[in-house]
Amino acid sequence: MPKQRVNYVCQSCGSIYTKWAGRCDNCGEWNKIIEEIINSGVGAGPKSVLATGKPANLANLSGKAEDAVRIISGIKELDRVSGGGFVKGSTLLVGGDPGIGKSTLLLQAASALANRGRSIIYISGEEAIAQVQLRAKRLGLEKSAVKLASETNVETILATLENEKNIDLVIIDSIQTLWTERIESTPGTVTQVRTSAQALTRFAKKSGASVILVGHVTKDGQIAGPKLVEHMVDGVIYFEGDNSHSYRILRAVKNRYGATDEIGVFEMTQNGLNEVNNPSSLFLDQRDDGASGSAVFAGIEGTRPILVEIQALVAPSPLGTPRRTVVGWDSSRLAMIIAVLETHCGVKIGANDIYLNIAGGLKITEPAADMAVAAALISSLSGSPLQREAVFFGEISLSGAIRPVIHAPLRLKEAAKLGFNCAFSGKLHTQKQKISGIKLVEFDNLLSLVGAISGKNK
Ligand code: TYD
Ligand code: MG
């Protein structure tokens, strides 16, 4: 009879303690430590592993490896983010806030794949079969040959899957509802989520089927979040967006079989998620006409150019420490640009409250957005709008120099396509990068950009 072990596990970061505590020493979160009972498996010591282990076959690096076999859904935005389709034998985690549309997206993907002759199994741990069927009917997908089960027990799920032959894709919705008999803690705890994810990853490798795990992002930490299984899976995709907007962004953050910087854009409608093929026009849709503090950034997400409006508000601050509020961008990057404006350009801006917002809920990580942010800040501070048909891109260095950025022609082409006729950028590498129809204004340093913006406005 194995000795029963009790661990105290932080549901936020997964740290294990031998005693309960109110606060986790590792991540600093309060009230996240929960008792978990472990009988075997995870808790088994190295001795038992040595006793049962068999030597593995070792191979050379120069094997006859073929390219990963992929299954393509035909939903272009999804295929792009997964790196060209789901890879057979791999596990993919799809994370996102509850209610963002994960189940809807995956049901649509399941149906699209089944319509292409793939064998798809959709296992819902959250909804009863009738609920999933009702959703399928609403989406007009009820005729697709997707096989459906409502189950949460990992052993039952694995037995069901073993019973089916030649499965192409299994969707598990969600990983937090699963529980295995090997562990006596409740579903959703760190140990249950980890062990269940491990079992399904093993199944994917062994059977050659693709496995998609859905994971809810949880803010209150009552159930373990998808971060815990990120290292176990081959790919991680997050589905983002907020409830005040109808569009949703699918973003790859880890991909063992492809690039991770692609995004996919969808719009949530009455009839499910629709692909958005031209995101720039969507993000510029509600631009304020002639408002100060608004600059259009010509950005690149993965391989695709996206134009997006950057809004800044600079307001006199009543506080000793002025407020900085940033949505969709890095706040330390904003602090850097403010410091460069103050130090190298003589712009007195630091004592004000500063709000920065990327319109439409998009998150931007590219340093190329620096110049658009600086332009929006100067425009708001001076109260005069920027040229309406201009886009901005360029990286600002600590010395106040503006550096050229990659993919300038792609950015310029997208701007021209959407009716812009002027671009403010760093110096281009070659003259060949210019595009007809767009007047290019190149800058060496931020000081000359400040001069150009405020000069024009005088
Ligand atoms: P859902 O896919 O259940 O989210 P998740 O699985 O990430 O928790 O999506 C739920 C939301 O989507 C819900 O608020 C209703 C909305 N929705 C639509 O607007 N249109 C639709 O066609 C469907 C199916 C859902
Ligand atoms: Mg769901």
Side-chain angles (χ1 to χ4, degrees), residues 204-232:
K205 295 239 155 56
K206 204 176 79 192
S207 69
S210 286
V211 172
I212 297 184
L213 305 175
V214 174
H216 291 296
V217 172
T218 55
K219 294 200 175 66
D220 59 3
Q222 285 306 302
I223 49 175
K227 282 253 172 286
L228 277 171
V229 292
E230 276 188 358
H231 68 279
M232 278 180 223

PDB file of all heavy atoms in Angstrom, residues 204-232:
ATOM      1  N   ALA A 204      -1.182  11.867 -28.099  1.00  0.00           N
ATOM      2  CA  ALA A 204      -0.947  12.493 -29.406  1.00  0.00           C
ATOM      3  C   ALA A 204       0.308  11.920 -30.049  1.00  0.00           C
ATOM      4  O   ALA A 204       0.317  11.533 -31.217  1.00  0.00           O
ATOM      5  CB  ALA A 204      -0.811  14.002 -29.244  1.00  0.00           C
ATOM      6  N   LYS A 205       1.384  11.811 -29.271  1.00  0.00           N
ATOM      7  CA  LYS A 205       2.670  11.316 -29.806  1.00  0.00           C
ATOM      8  C   LYS A 205       2.541   9.870 -30.263  1.00  0.00           C
ATOM      9  O   LYS A 205       3.047   9.483 -31.300  1.00  0.00           O
ATOM     10  CB  LYS A 205       3.748  11.396 -28.718  1.00  0.00           C
ATOM     11  CG  LYS A 205       4.066  12.816 -28.311  1.00  0.00           C
ATOM     12  CD  LYS A 205       5.520  13.167 -28.525  1.00  0.00           C
ATOM     13  CE  LYS A 205       5.710  14.654 -28.698  1.00  0.00           C
ATOM     14  NZ  LYS A 205       5.186  15.469 -27.610  1.00  0.00           N
ATOM     15  N   LYS A 206       1.838   9.076 -29.435  1.00  0.00           N
ATOM     16  CA  LYS A 206       1.737   7.639 -29.702  1.00  0.00           C
ATOM     17  C   LYS A 206       0.841   7.360 -30.907  1.00  0.00           C
ATOM     18  O   LYS A 206       1.161   6.558 -31.767  1.00  0.00           O
ATOM     19  CB  LYS A 206       1.168   6.960 -28.449  1.00  0.00           C
ATOM     20  CG  LYS A 206       1.531   5.488 -28.336  1.00  0.00           C
ATOM     21  CD  LYS A 206       1.013   4.910 -27.044  1.00  0.00           C
ATOM     22  CE  LYS A 206      -0.463   4.608 -27.195  1.00  0.00           C
ATOM     23  NZ  LYS A 206      -1.180   4.292 -25.988  1.00  0.00           N
ATOM     24  N   SER A 207      -0.295   8.068 -30.974  1.00  0.00           N
ATOM     25  CA  SER A 207      -1.287   7.725 -31.993  1.00  0.00           C
ATOM     26  C   SER A 207      -1.091   8.503 -33.292  1.00  0.00           C
ATOM     27  O   SER A 207      -1.611   8.139 -34.326  1.00  0.00           O
ATOM     28  CB  SER A 207      -2.683   8.030 -31.455  1.00  0.00           C
ATOM     29  OG  SER A 207      -2.826   9.431 -31.339  1.00  0.00           O
ATOM     30  N   GLY A 208      -0.375   9.632 -33.226  1.00  0.00           N
ATOM     31  CA  GLY A 208      -0.214  10.447 -34.431  1.00  0.00           C
ATOM     32  C   GLY A 208      -1.378  11.380 -34.682  1.00  0.00           C
ATOM     33  O   GLY A 208      -1.428  12.054 -35.703  1.00  0.00           O
ATOM     34  N   ALA A 209      -2.339  11.429 -33.757  1.00  0.00           N
ATOM     35  CA  ALA A 209      -3.449  12.374 -33.915  1.00  0.00           C
ATOM     36  C   ALA A 209      -3.026  13.737 -33.370  1.00  0.00           C
ATOM     37  O   ALA A 209      -2.163  13.815 -32.507  1.00  0.00           O
ATOM     38  CB  ALA A 209      -4.668  11.876 -33.143  1.00  0.00           C
ATOM     39  N   SER A 210      -3.619  14.807 -33.877  1.00  0.00           N
ATOM     40  CA  SER A 210      -3.397  16.127 -33.271  1.00  0.00           C
ATOM     41  C   SER A 210      -4.339  16.280 -32.097  1.00  0.00           C
ATOM     42  O   SER A 210      -5.490  15.857 -32.186  1.00  0.00           O
ATOM     43  CB  SER A 210      -3.780  17.238 -34.235  1.00  0.00           C
ATOM     44  OG  SER A 210      -2.871  17.382 -35.213  1.00  0.00           O
ATOM     45  N   VAL A 211      -3.852  16.884 -31.043  1.00  0.00           N
ATOM     46  CA  VAL A 211      -4.724  17.122 -29.892  1.00  0.00           C
ATOM     47  C   VAL A 211      -4.763  18.617 -29.610  1.00  0.00           C
ATOM     48  O   VAL A 211      -3.716  19.272 -29.567  1.00  0.00           O
ATOM     49  CB  VAL A 211      -4.236  16.353 -28.646  1.00  0.00           C
ATOM     50  CG1 VAL A 211      -5.022  16.751 -27.415  1.00  0.00           C
ATOM     51  CG2 VAL A 211      -4.334  14.857 -28.862  1.00  0.00           C
ATOM     52  N   ILE A 212      -5.965  19.159 -29.481  1.00  0.00           N
ATOM     53  CA  ILE A 212      -6.098  20.566 -29.089  1.00  0.00           C
ATOM     54  C   ILE A 212      -6.683  20.619 -27.687  1.00  0.00           C
ATOM     55  O   ILE A 212      -7.732  20.028 -27.419  1.00  0.00           O
ATOM     56  CB  ILE A 212      -7.020  21.334 -30.060  1.00  0.00           C
ATOM     57  CG1 ILE A 212      -6.406  21.349 -31.459  1.00  0.00           C
ATOM     58  CG2 ILE A 212      -7.239  22.763 -29.575  1.00  0.00           C
ATOM     59  CD1 ILE A 212      -7.176  22.151 -32.456  1.00  0.00           C
ATOM     60  N   LEU A 213      -5.978  21.296 -26.793  1.00  0.00           N
ATOM     61  CA  LEU A 213      -6.477  21.459 -25.431  1.00  0.00           C
ATOM     62  C   LEU A 213      -6.955  22.897 -25.278  1.00  0.00           C
ATOM     63  O   LEU A 213      -6.224  23.827 -25.604  1.00  0.00           O
ATOM     64  CB  LEU A 213      -5.362  21.192 -24.417  1.00  0.00           C
ATOM     65  CG  LEU A 213      -4.642  19.842 -24.511  1.00  0.00           C
ATOM     66  CD1 LEU A 213      -3.488  19.810 -23.520  1.00  0.00           C
ATOM     67  CD2 LEU A 213      -5.606  18.714 -24.225  1.00  0.00           C
ATOM     68  N   VAL A 214      -8.175  23.057 -24.780  1.00  0.00           N
ATOM     69  CA  VAL A 214      -8.667  24.408 -24.513  1.00  0.00           C
ATOM     70  C   VAL A 214      -8.347  24.732 -23.064  1.00  0.00           C
ATOM     71  O   VAL A 214      -8.511  23.885 -22.189  1.00  0.00           O
ATOM     72  CB  VAL A 214     -10.192  24.475 -24.743  1.00  0.00           C
ATOM     73  CG1 VAL A 214     -10.741  25.826 -24.330  1.00  0.00           C
ATOM     74  CG2 VAL A 214     -10.508  24.193 -26.195  1.00  0.00           C
ATOM     75  N   GLY A 215      -7.845  25.931 -22.785  1.00  0.00           N
ATOM     76  CA  GLY A 215      -7.547  26.313 -21.403  1.00  0.00           C
ATOM     77  C   GLY A 215      -8.099  27.688 -21.097  1.00  0.00           C
ATOM     78  O   GLY A 215      -7.881  28.622 -21.859  1.00  0.00           O
ATOM     79  N   HIS A 216      -8.854  27.790 -20.002  1.00  0.00           N
ATOM     80  CA  HIS A 216      -9.368  29.113 -19.624  1.00  0.00           C
ATOM     81  C   HIS A 216      -8.296  29.896 -18.894  1.00  0.00           C
ATOM     82  O   HIS A 216      -7.624  29.363 -18.021  1.00  0.00           O
ATOM     83  CB  HIS A 216     -10.559  28.994 -18.677  1.00  0.00           C
ATOM     84  CG  HIS A 216     -11.767  28.441 -19.347  1.00  0.00           C
ATOM     85  ND1 HIS A 216     -12.406  29.094 -20.359  1.00  0.00           N
ATOM     86  CD2 HIS A 216     -12.430  27.288 -19.155  1.00  0.00           C
ATOM     87  CE1 HIS A 216     -13.425  28.370 -20.762  1.00  0.00           C
ATOM     88  NE2 HIS A 216     -13.462  27.261 -20.052  1.00  0.00           N
ATOM     89  N   VAL A 217      -8.168  31.151 -19.243  1.00  0.00           N
ATOM     90  CA  VAL A 217      -7.295  32.027 -18.477  1.00  0.00           C
ATOM     91  C   VAL A 217      -8.104  32.452 -17.261  1.00  0.00           C
ATOM     92  O   VAL A 217      -9.236  32.882 -17.394  1.00  0.00           O
ATOM     93  CB  VAL A 217      -6.905  33.256 -19.309  1.00  0.00           C
ATOM     94  CG1 VAL A 217      -6.156  34.267 -18.469  1.00  0.00           C
ATOM     95  CG2 VAL A 217      -6.076  32.843 -20.500  1.00  0.00           C
ATOM     96  N   THR A 218      -7.515  32.276 -16.068  1.00  0.00           N
ATOM     97  CA  THR A 218      -8.307  32.612 -14.893  1.00  0.00           C
ATOM     98  C   THR A 218      -7.613  33.697 -14.105  1.00  0.00           C
ATOM     99  O   THR A 218      -6.419  33.636 -13.884  1.00  0.00           O
ATOM    100  CB  THR A 218      -8.460  31.382 -13.981  1.00  0.00           C
ATOM    101  OG1 THR A 218      -7.156  30.913 -13.704  1.00  0.00           O
ATOM    102  CG2 THR A 218      -9.263  30.313 -14.644  1.00  0.00           C
ATOM    103  N   LYS A 219      -8.403  34.675 -13.721  1.00  0.00           N
ATOM    104  CA  LYS A 219      -7.804  35.777 -12.983  1.00  0.00           C
ATOM    105  C   LYS A 219      -7.854  35.528 -11.478  1.00  0.00           C
ATOM    106  O   LYS A 219      -6.961  35.905 -10.755  1.00  0.00           O
ATOM    107  CB  LYS A 219      -8.520  37.085 -13.324  1.00  0.00           C
ATOM    108  CG  LYS A 219      -8.270  37.429 -14.777  1.00  0.00           C
ATOM    109  CD  LYS A 219      -8.498  38.870 -15.120  1.00  0.00           C
ATOM    110  CE  LYS A 219      -8.097  39.143 -16.550  1.00  0.00           C
ATOM    111  NZ  LYS A 219      -8.937  38.454 -17.552  1.00  0.00           N
ATOM    112  N   ASP A 220      -8.888  34.826 -11.032  1.00  0.00           N
ATOM    113  CA  ASP A 220      -9.023  34.647  -9.581  1.00  0.00           C
ATOM    114  C   ASP A 220      -8.208  33.463  -9.056  1.00  0.00           C
ATOM    115  O   ASP A 220      -8.063  33.284  -7.867  1.00  0.00           O
ATOM    116  CB  ASP A 220     -10.502  34.499  -9.185  1.00  0.00           C
ATOM    117  CG  ASP A 220     -11.163  33.328  -9.871  1.00  0.00           C
ATOM    118  OD1 ASP A 220     -10.469  32.605 -10.599  1.00  0.00           O
ATOM    119  OD2 ASP A 220     -12.383  33.127  -9.676  1.00  0.00           O
ATOM    120  N   GLY A 221      -7.677  32.635  -9.976  1.00  0.00           N
ATOM    121  CA  GLY A 221      -6.788  31.558  -9.535  1.00  0.00           C
ATOM    122  C   GLY A 221      -7.487  30.398  -8.866  1.00  0.00           C
ATOM    123  O   GLY A 221      -6.841  29.521  -8.315  1.00  0.00           O
ATOM    124  N   GLN A 222      -8.832  30.354  -8.901  1.00  0.00           N
ATOM    125  CA  GLN A 222      -9.537  29.233  -8.291  1.00  0.00           C
ATOM    126  C   GLN A 222      -9.263  27.933  -9.044  1.00  0.00           C
ATOM    127  O   GLN A 222      -9.262  26.872  -8.474  1.00  0.00           O
ATOM    128  CB  GLN A 222     -11.055  29.500  -8.241  1.00  0.00           C
ATOM    129  CG  GLN A 222     -11.473  30.496  -7.184  1.00  0.00           C
ATOM    130  CD  GLN A 222     -10.959  30.118  -5.801  1.00  0.00           C
ATOM    131  OE1 GLN A 222     -11.250  29.047  -5.309  1.00  0.00           O
ATOM    132  NE2 GLN A 222     -10.190  30.999  -5.183  1.00  0.00           N
ATOM    133  N   ILE A 223      -9.081  28.049 -10.356  1.00  0.00           N
ATOM    134  CA  ILE A 223      -8.630  26.880 -11.106  1.00  0.00           C
ATOM    135  C   ILE A 223      -7.291  27.222 -11.757  1.00  0.00           C
ATOM    136  O   ILE A 223      -7.006  28.374 -12.027  1.00  0.00           O
ATOM    137  CB  ILE A 223      -9.659  26.421 -12.171  1.00  0.00           C
ATOM    138  CG1 ILE A 223     -10.117  27.604 -13.017  1.00  0.00           C
ATOM    139  CG2 ILE A 223     -10.820  25.722 -11.540  1.00  0.00           C
ATOM    140  CD1 ILE A 223     -11.029  27.206 -14.140  1.00  0.00           C
ATOM    141  N   ALA A 224      -6.488  26.180 -11.989  1.00  0.00           N
ATOM    142  CA  ALA A 224      -5.147  26.414 -12.523  1.00  0.00           C
ATOM    143  C   ALA A 224      -5.234  26.933 -13.950  1.00  0.00           C
ATOM    144  O   ALA A 224      -6.083  26.533 -14.725  1.00  0.00           O
ATOM    145  CB  ALA A 224      -4.376  25.102 -12.491  1.00  0.00           C
ATOM    146  N   GLY A 225      -4.353  27.854 -14.294  1.00  0.00           N
ATOM    147  CA  GLY A 225      -4.400  28.476 -15.618  1.00  0.00           C
ATOM    148  C   GLY A 225      -3.621  27.712 -16.671  1.00  0.00           C
ATOM    149  O   GLY A 225      -2.880  26.786 -16.359  1.00  0.00           O
ATOM    150  N   PRO A 226      -3.792  28.080 -17.943  1.00  0.00           N
ATOM    151  CA  PRO A 226      -3.123  27.377 -19.033  1.00  0.00           C
ATOM    152  C   PRO A 226      -1.604  27.528 -19.032  1.00  0.00           C
ATOM    153  O   PRO A 226      -0.913  26.714 -19.630  1.00  0.00           O
ATOM    154  CB  PRO A 226      -3.722  27.994 -20.297  1.00  0.00           C
ATOM    155  CG  PRO A 226      -4.457  29.187 -19.891  1.00  0.00           C
ATOM    156  CD  PRO A 226      -4.680  29.136 -18.418  1.00  0.00           C
ATOM    157  N   LYS A 227      -1.076  28.527 -18.312  1.00  0.00           N
ATOM    158  CA  LYS A 227       0.383  28.728 -18.253  1.00  0.00           C
ATOM    159  C   LYS A 227       1.093  27.461 -17.795  1.00  0.00           C
ATOM    160  O   LYS A 227       2.204  27.178 -18.193  1.00  0.00           O
ATOM    161  CB  LYS A 227       0.721  29.849 -17.269  1.00  0.00           C
ATOM    162  CG  LYS A 227       0.498  31.238 -17.820  1.00  0.00           C
ATOM    163  CD  LYS A 227       1.828  31.927 -18.114  1.00  0.00           C
ATOM    164  CE  LYS A 227       1.673  33.240 -18.831  1.00  0.00           C
ATOM    165  NZ  LYS A 227       1.320  33.135 -20.241  1.00  0.00           N
ATOM    166  N   LEU A 228       0.412  26.706 -16.908  1.00  0.00           N
ATOM    167  CA  LEU A 228       1.010  25.505 -16.336  1.00  0.00           C
ATOM    168  C   LEU A 228       1.341  24.438 -17.353  1.00  0.00           C
ATOM    169  O   LEU A 228       2.246  23.645 -17.147  1.00  0.00           O
ATOM    170  CB  LEU A 228       0.019  24.895 -15.349  1.00  0.00           C
ATOM    171  CG  LEU A 228      -0.002  25.482 -13.969  1.00  0.00           C
ATOM    172  CD1 LEU A 228      -1.170  24.929 -13.225  1.00  0.00           C
ATOM    173  CD2 LEU A 228       1.302  25.167 -13.274  1.00  0.00           C
ATOM    174  N   VAL A 229       0.572  24.385 -18.436  1.00  0.00           N
ATOM    175  CA  VAL A 229       0.814  23.308 -19.398  1.00  0.00           C
ATOM    176  C   VAL A 229       1.560  23.807 -20.630  1.00  0.00           C
ATOM    177  O   VAL A 229       1.896  23.026 -21.503  1.00  0.00           O
ATOM    178  CB  VAL A 229      -0.492  22.583 -19.819  1.00  0.00           C
ATOM    179  CG1 VAL A 229      -1.059  21.825 -18.670  1.00  0.00           C
ATOM    180  CG2 VAL A 229      -1.503  23.532 -20.377  1.00  0.00           C
ATOM    181  N   GLU A 230       1.857  25.111 -20.666  1.00  0.00           N
ATOM    182  CA  GLU A 230       2.521  25.678 -21.855  1.00  0.00           C
ATOM    183  C   GLU A 230       3.784  24.920 -22.239  1.00  0.00           C
ATOM    184  O   GLU A 230       4.053  24.691 -23.403  1.00  0.00           O
ATOM    185  CB  GLU A 230       2.863  27.155 -21.631  1.00  0.00           C
ATOM    186  CG  GLU A 230       1.703  28.072 -21.918  1.00  0.00           C
ATOM    187  CD  GLU A 230       2.084  29.542 -21.878  1.00  0.00           C
ATOM    188  OE1 GLU A 230       3.241  29.857 -21.585  1.00  0.00           O
ATOM    189  OE2 GLU A 230       1.187  30.371 -22.121  1.00  0.00           O
ATOM    190  N   HIS A 231       4.591  24.532 -21.221  1.00  0.00           N
ATOM    191  CA  HIS A 231       5.861  23.875 -21.543  1.00  0.00           C
ATOM    192  C   HIS A 231       5.693  22.450 -22.029  1.00  0.00           C
ATOM    193  O   HIS A 231       6.583  21.883 -22.619  1.00  0.00           O
ATOM    194  CB  HIS A 231       6.790  23.917 -20.326  1.00  0.00           C
ATOM    195  CG  HIS A 231       6.300  23.064 -19.218  1.00  0.00           C
ATOM    196  ND1 HIS A 231       5.319  23.460 -18.349  1.00  0.00           N
ATOM    197  CD2 HIS A 231       6.637  21.812 -18.861  1.00  0.00           C
ATOM    198  CE1 HIS A 231       5.084  22.486 -17.496  1.00  0.00           C
ATOM    199  NE2 HIS A 231       5.861  21.487 -17.778  1.00  0.00           N
ATOM    200  N   MET A 232       4.532  21.859 -21.807  1.00  0.00           N
ATOM    201  CA  MET A 232       4.320  20.456 -22.190  1.00  0.00           C
ATOM    202  C   MET A 232       3.855  20.308 -23.617  1.00  0.00           C
ATOM    203  O   MET A 232       3.990  19.255 -24.217  1.00  0.00           O
ATOM    204  CB  MET A 232       3.188  19.878 -21.330  1.00  0.00           C
ATOM    205  CG  MET A 232       3.573  19.419 -20.003  1.00  0.00           C
ATOM    206  SD  MET A 232       2.033  18.829 -19.299  1.00  0.00           S
ATOM    207  CE  MET A 232       2.210  19.496 -17.700  1.00  0.00           C
TER     208      MET A 232
END
